[in-house]
Amino acid sequence: MPLGLEGVSERFIVHGGARLEGVVRVDGAKNSVLKLMAACLLAEGETTLTNCPEIGDVPLMRDVLEGLGCTVTIDGSTVTVNTPKEVNFRADFQAVRQFRASVCVLGPLTSRCHRAMVALPGGDAIGSRPLDMHQSGLEKLGATTRIEHGCVVAEAEKLHGAQIKLDFPSVGATENILTAAVLAEGTTTLYNAAREPEISDICAMLNSMGARISGIGTSTLTIEGVDKLHSTVHEVVGDRIVAGTWAYAAAMTRGDVTVGGISPQHLHLVLQKLKMVGASVETYDKGFRVRQEGRPKGVDYQTLPFPGFPTDMQPMAVGLAAISEGNSIITENVFEARFRFVDEMMRLGADATIDGHHVLIRGVDRLSSTPVWASDIRAGAGLVLAGLVADGDTEVNDVYHIDRGYPRFVENLNSLGADVRRVVD
């Protein structure tokens, strides 16, 4: 945890030079489980989620839900949410401030309680992520919304179906509109909806609760409102970003890693880029294998909503490009502040030039160790991967970020042949 919150500071010491080899399995997706937990607010009774990742954000979401009146039990990879008949509509600042995903309770609370007061959330320092589209979507469904005393407030005597088109396929806005529309009167059609696998996952869970959502996996979702939902049991979809991290670690260390627990279709472009750098990629029903012989080749990337290259994989792309042969241009189209991570990569010896939302990287043979600081979950993972291909020992600080998104990160790396130590001060 960050120094100042718990009085404890932790860092990783990464010994460079390891070649990663072996098998690793990914757990459920961070970007899905938190939203599924929030969706449990929609139905009275006990809902069980399996294949949950054991990460720092799951207990944080438990705190949010318990503040709303739920009882939440975490038992390894199983999370059970018991939702009462009457739910509190206020998500307080203390619980919400620590992570961005907490805003996903806005839709369920507006739908179930007809009012919601959710403190504006905190989270990773990767750029502004306003709630305009969340509010606009709820307003089209019949709610009134406002920002008041540091909270987003939504109120509605009754929600009704609507035709809604998003200006951008925002994952968060899609989720909040979905969870509000499932109990609205009439039919809602959501155009330019996000298509991420995590959206399909929440749609599948909602349908298992009695919702009527069609068009799953496409940019147009149709939601026929129902009177009531019921509790369910649901398995969380595999984490494509964690899987992609192991894939890029294999390529960076010229290794041979097999990743299980994930559909390769959720990483089609990510794996395609690895083929372009010279890696051998084999795909299976629920996994893939990445082998890299020789120095990778530089390729260009641009982040886009799914099925484009994920913004969450951008730090790993930067790390790979930094030690590849030739030049790479990486364009960030989603979060404007994500390139602050590049400054830390340059401390490790990466040859990079930032120009607006582009970064030009000229590959070098090897990085050089130095202390660096993680600014968000994926930046932290990217810095650890960079440490694997640096000379000497790289010290990665503020690793509580990594713990929020990667279960057993050090243990998994070391099982593949890395030498990474967690140091607690």
Side-chain angles (χ1 to χ4, degrees):
M1 295 300 293
L3 188 64
L5 286 182
E6 298 293 338
V8 174
S9 176
E10 298 186 6
R11 64 187 189 277
F12 293 159
I13 306 299
V14 185
H15 186 70
R19 176 181 184 269
L20 298 193
E21 184 175 5
V23 179
V24 64
R25 186 189 184 283
V26 300
D27 299 308
K30 167 195 177 292
N31 290 336
S32 190
V33 66
L34 305 175
K35 322 303 178 62
L36 299 175
M37 290 175 69
C40 295
L41 291 165
L42 289 164
E44 180 183 356
E46 185 176 279
T47 291
T48 300
L49 302 175
T50 62
N51 195 39
C52 298
E54 297 179 47
I55 55 174
D57 272 9
V58 170
L60 293 178
M61 181 57 82
R62 174 194 59 197
D63 294 345
V64 172
L65 294 183
E66 289 188 338
L68 296 170
C70 300
T71 301
V72 182
T73 302
I74 301 173
D75 182 9
S77 62
T78 300
V79 174
T80 303
V81 181
N82 201 310
T83 304
K85 183 176 182 180
E86 298 293 333
V87 175
N88 181 11
F89 69 93
R90 295 173 184 265
D92 66 73
F93 178 78
Q94 187 63 31
V96 167
R97 69 184 178 91
Q98 299 183 70
F99 67 124
R100 176 71 187 186
S102 55
V103 77
C104 63
V105 301
L106 179 62
L109 290 178
T110 305
S111 183
R112 181 89 190 278
C113 305
H114 301 290
R115 55 180 175 169
M117 181 176 290
V118 181
L120 294 174
D124 291 331
I126 56 177
S128 63
R129 296 189 274 189
L131 299 180
D132 297 7
M133 286 186 286
H134 302 241
Q135 293 178 253
S136 175
L138 292 178
E139 288 169 1
K140 285 184 170 63
L141 293 171
T144 60
T145 72
R146 62 186 183 276
I147 304 296
E148 184 177 89
H149 303 302
C151 296
V152 56
V153 179
E155 298 173 322
E157 288 187 15
K158 180 194 294 186
L159 294 177
H160 54 74
Q163 303 285 305
I164 302 172
K165 183 176 182 180
L166 297 178
D167 294 334
F168 177 85
S170 160
V171 171
T174 298
E175 289 162 342
N176 269 326
I177 292 168
L178 268 173
T179 51
V182 288
L183 293 178
E185 184 178 292
T187 300
T188 297
T189 305
L190 180 57
Y191 300 99
N192 200 27
R195 291 187 283 163
E196 275 73 1
E198 296 80 18
I199 294 294
S200 297
D201 198 29
I202 194 171
C203 287
M205 175 175 158
L206 290 170
N207 278 352
S208 75
M209 297 170 74
R212 296 176 181 172
I213 304 170
S214 58
I216 298 173
T218 75
S219 60
T220 301
L221 295 173
T222 301
I223 308 104
E224 298 178 44
V226 297
D227 294 332
K228 187 177 182 180
L229 298 180
H230 54 77
S231 57
T232 191
V233 176
H234 180 79
E235 180 179 343
V236 183
V237 70
D239 197 315
R240 61 195 171 98
I241 305 303
V242 173
T245 300
W246 302 135
Y248 274 60
M252 288 175 67
T253 64
R254 305 184 190 184
D256 182 352
V257 176
T258 298
V259 182
I262 185 71
S263 169
Q265 292 303 312
H266 296 169
L267 286 163
H268 176 74
L269 187 54
V270 170
L271 297 177
Q272 190 64 34
K273 288 292 184 180
L274 287 181
K275 292 179 182 179
M276 293 170 65
V277 308
S280 168
V281 179
E282 301 173 40
T283 59
Y284 314 109
D285 182 43
K286 286 291 183 180
F288 58 85
R289 180 183 182 186
V290 174
R291 288 176 289 170
Q292 178 72 44
E293 296 181 5
R295 189 177 177 189
K297 300 179 179 65
V299 300
D300 296 338
Y301 302 83
Q302 59 172 329
T303 66
L304 288 168
F306 189 85
F309 193 86
T311 182
D312 280 356
M313 283 297 301
Q314 185 244 89
M316 277 54 81
V318 169
L320 179 58
I323 49 89
S324 292
E325 181 180 358
N327 298 337
S328 302
I329 296 175
I330 298 177
T331 303
E332 175 56 55
N333 293 308
V334 182
F335 292 130
E336 73 278 1
R338 197 144 223 171
F339 278 153
R340 70 176 58 191
F341 152 82
V342 177
D343 291 334
E344 297 301 296
M345 284 293 299
M346 292 169 68
R347 289 168 54 83
L348 288 167
D351 184 353
T353 302
I354 300 173
D355 181 11
H357 65 123
H358 308 281
V359 59
L360 169 64
I361 299 177
R362 306 165 190 86
V364 298
D365 289 332
R366 192 170 183 80
L367 300 175
S368 57
S369 58
T370 191
V372 290
W373 280 260
S375 57
D376 65 75
I377 296 169
R378 310 308 172 185
L383 290 170
V384 172
L385 266 55
L388 294 174
V389 292
D391 58 11
D393 290 344
T394 297
E395 179 181 298
V396 181
N397 295 277
D398 291 345
V399 298
Y400 66 90
H401 287 296
I402 300 172
D403 292 335
R404 289 181 47 225
Y406 288 85
R408 303 177 302 282
F409 188 65
V410 171
E411 293 82 356
N412 281 322
L413 278 172
N414 289 343
S415 75
L416 295 173
D419 182 359
V420 182
R421 291 183 291 115
R422 182 189 294 266
V423 178
V424 181
D425 297 329

